[in-house]
Amino acid sequence: MDYLRQTQADIMLVLIGICGVITLFIFLTNTMSAKRKRILILLELSAMFLLIADRRAYIFRGDPSPLGWWGVRISNFLVFFLILVIIYSFNLYLEDLFTTEGKMKQVPRRLQIAGVLTLVGMVLVILSQFTGFYYTFDSMNRYQRAPGFIISYLIPFSVFVLQLSANLKYSEKLTPSIRRSILFFSLACIIASILQVFFYGISLNNLTIVAMSALLYVFTLQDMTKQIEQARVQEINFYREAQKKEHAMFEQTAEALANAIDAKDKYTRGHSSRVAQYSLQIARAAGKNDEECEKIYFAALLHDMGKIGVKDSILNKEGKLTPEEFAEIKMHPVYGNQILSSIQQSPYLSIGAHYHHERYDGKGYPDGLKGEDIPEYARIIAVADSYDAMTSKRSYRDPLPQQIVREELVKGQGTQFDPFYAKIMLQLLDKDTEYHLREETQEPDETFINRLQCESIYHNCTVGFQITEQITRIRLFSKADPEFSGEESLPSLILFDALDARVHEEPARQQDLCYLEYGQIRFDGHTQRGQARKIQTRVLSSDGSEWAAINADSGLTPYEIEAVRFRDHGMIRISDGHRSVQSIIAFPDSTRFSYFSLTGEHCTLSNIRVDSHGETITADFIPRIAEEISHIAGMPEGDIPNVQIDGWRTGATCGIPVEDQITLTFHTKSLPTARLIWHCPFVVLYSSANGEIGGEGYREYLLLRLDGENWDSDSHVENSVEIHHTQEFQDWNTWKAVNQAGMDCTVSIRRAKNTVTVSTQNQGIALSSITAIKDEPDCIYAALTGDQVVLTNIRISRTGTADISPSDP
């Protein structure tokens, strides 16, 4: 306390300066109400002048001069009076808080009492100047406490207690920061008032009140900052919400327009939405940012806006269009541009409508633009639009199978489509193994079919269930028609392959969809062989099962079917709980798919439940009843074994280490089942611990097909592929025909550190690929693989290396 007594004058000077600066800040601020500014200015000025007066009181104390006589009396009066002014200002501050932030209709009664008590205290201070009730001065002009001085501390103390109790009672109406500041102010002043009674000669109470007044501004400023931030956040959220609503309205309006356009043509319902979704996927795969993707989406959604100007009779015409009608159809991009170009805030909308029928080779319409002169958005939409047209039902055809669509996209690269975006669409197709990228059809769920009434074979058939190396199990009930019995009213299975996985009886459809029927199996074991090489059926007895006992007297016969395939052999078991029919099928090859469809004669099939996630079988699960067909037996063999590849990369050569330069020569021939462009050889660059494809630590750097397509398979690699059609190239049909007849190929592979160059030229397609690998693999390997192709007489020549043997197969 001695230290405080000695330094309190300096402390007062510091607090005086702080209060003056705070007063200036409050005066200049525009973030609080005028009333609160007046209250806080009064509080801070009172605090500043309180300390000035208190400091002058110590200076004039004991000064007998006339100036000292008046100075000590005026200073002490101001000290006692200004303390009450500060307390009264604080009370006004609390009243303002509770009626504004606290939203109280009336000022709390305790604060009203505190205000009256403070005013009474002010009156007593004035009276004490004439009565000596609070203090007196001795002959040396020094301040002396009078008997009533305790009242001068009890009044402020009582006011602080009333203010504290009001804060505690109504604290939930104030923000936490303000609540803490008021609590701190009141408690500190109460404690200081108590201590002041015992420490004479130290302005402990005055210093505390002034310090708390300064801190009150700090807490108020902090609360204002939070309120301003909350208001800013609310404003931002408001604008964001408004933008969301505006965006949602724009989206709903665009979708409504698109639906209205599609409704004009019964065969294009949903077309605009699908094209928009496909365009969005292409844009994302191309690395476009979110803003560009959204613009492309809406431009694609409204790409057919111009059809509003085309007569419904032309759009819905069943037969072939006349030249005049087709000319009218070709005007819809112009109409669409005229309509959408008026939306000046979204100029990108008219791009899709105007240019989506332009061709990359310049043979499109309406303006005949070529290559990159066609706006980028339109080049993306053109791919998506053509893809949806091929995968949707039309008046003259059903949706095209995915493989046919894929081949059309390959053929259209660089002619109809931008090759970059066509390639992205092809990659999306390759990832879409379940064929979700197409028009939705109203077909029953394939995992549960409630009822199927069959009058004869082919009359009513389920969609085909693929037979794979995973056992597929199906349970169903069959009920014979009342007028038929025995073998005349039994279910049957049709074994087949088709591009659309459906049974077809019409020869024209069978040809279009590459339909091949392997045979039929009736549920009593009677079989009819079609294109299968052999079907061997046995009827086995069974000791019954819970499944068979479910419907003993209802006329329903329960069946359980298991179907599985390994390479060129399949096995089907049909059980009714009393007997089991087991058929082993030798398919024509290992390449074609195999499906089975449920049908029957004079029966109703019901509650058909499918489980296609059974266990995976091994090679010895199905007994072999026919030799495996080999297209490489007796063929000349080169430096490494010949390889037959029945499906997409189902086989490959052994790995060949790539050091300096190697040249691969081989003979290739498509399998008899091959019918697509990519049924050809592929070159793979990779690394693995044992040199095998798929081995430990396998990383694939390049997959290059001899038809020109390529894929980056690793994130740590950059591929640059150049494709050039020479004069030798005629067309894709000729290219496929040469592959089917067989041709000799040469592939050169050169390595310089971590850069590998692959080059080849076959039937007019010249390929050059540069693969830059970012890290340093121990060894880089090359291998040959493909799809529905045989590779024979494979020879390896090396330049600039020691003797390098291929890795073990």
Side-chain angles (χ1 to χ4, degrees), residues 344-406:
Q344 297 180 358
Q345 290 185 336
S346 303
Y348 57 88
L349 292 177
S350 63
I351 292 175
H354 192 185
Y355 300 109
H356 69 280
H357 279 295
E358 299 289 354
R359 287 173 55 102
Y360 200 73
D361 59 7
K363 298 179 180 179
Y365 62 89
D367 296 340
L369 299 182
K370 183 178 182 180
E372 295 189 2
D373 290 340
I374 305 169
E376 185 179 34
Y377 288 7
R379 282 180 273 145
I380 293 173
I381 295 169
V383 174
D385 184 39
S386 295
Y387 176 81
D388 186 69
M390 289 186 284
T391 57
S392 302
K393 184 177 178 61
R394 291 292 183 264
S395 60
Y396 50 88
R397 62 158 174 81
D398 288 332
L400 298 179
Q402 193 180 38
Q403 289 182 327
I404 300 297
V405 173
R406 194 186 193 288

Side-chain angles (χ1 to χ4, degrees), residues 660-802:
D660 290 345
Q661 183 167 339
I662 61 174
T663 301
L664 306 179
T665 59
F666 56 93
H667 185 79
T668 177
K669 184 177 181 179
S670 300
L671 295 178
T673 54
R675 62 184 182 280
L676 301 173
I677 293 171
W678 61 89
H679 291 159
C680 65
F682 309 164
V683 179
V684 184
L685 293 180
Y686 66 95
S687 64
S688 68
N690 59 2
E692 297 179 3
I693 290 181
E696 182 180 355
Y698 180 75
R699 294 177 60 183
E700 189 168 292
Y701 304 122
L702 173 72
L703 176 66
L704 181 65
R705 297 192 335 213
L706 265 62
D707 67 342
E709 286 196 51
N710 71 285
W711 277 263
D712 296 345
S713 303
D714 191 279
S715 59
H716 294 84
V717 67
E718 289 183 0
N719 284 322
S720 175
V721 179
E722 292 185 2
I723 307 170
H724 178 61
H725 289 185
T726 68
Q727 292 182 349
E728 185 183 356
F729 181 80
Q730 298 181 31
D731 54 55
W732 285 110
N733 289 330
T734 303
W735 196 85
K736 287 193 297 182
V738 173
N739 271 283
Q740 290 167 350
M743 65 178 180
D744 293 323
C745 297
T746 300
V747 177
S748 296
I749 304 174
R750 181 168 54 86
R751 177 180 177 182
K753 295 184 179 180
N754 291 339
T755 300
V756 181
T757 302
V758 179
S759 58
T760 183
Q761 180 171 329
N762 302 283
Q763 298 301 316
I765 299 180
L767 304 177
S768 178
S769 169
I770 300 176
T771 299
I773 304 171
K774 298 177 183 179
D775 51 14
E776 296 185 7
D778 294 335
C779 187
I780 300 174
Y781 295 92
L784 298 175
T785 181
D787 187 4
Q788 297 196 35
V789 68
V790 294
L791 307 175
T792 59
N793 198 21
I794 306 168
R795 300 193 178 275
I796 308 168
S797 61
R798 306 176 179 86
T799 302
T801 66

Side-chain angles (χ1 to χ4, degrees), residues 10-22:
D10 295 331
I11 297 173
M12 289 179 183
L13 275 176
V14 172
L15 290 175
I16 288 169
I18 292 174
C19 290
V21 172
I22 289 175

Side-chain angles (χ1 to χ4, degrees), residues 126 185 340 362 590 621:
I126 295 172
F185 187 102
L340 295 175
S590 302
F621 186 84

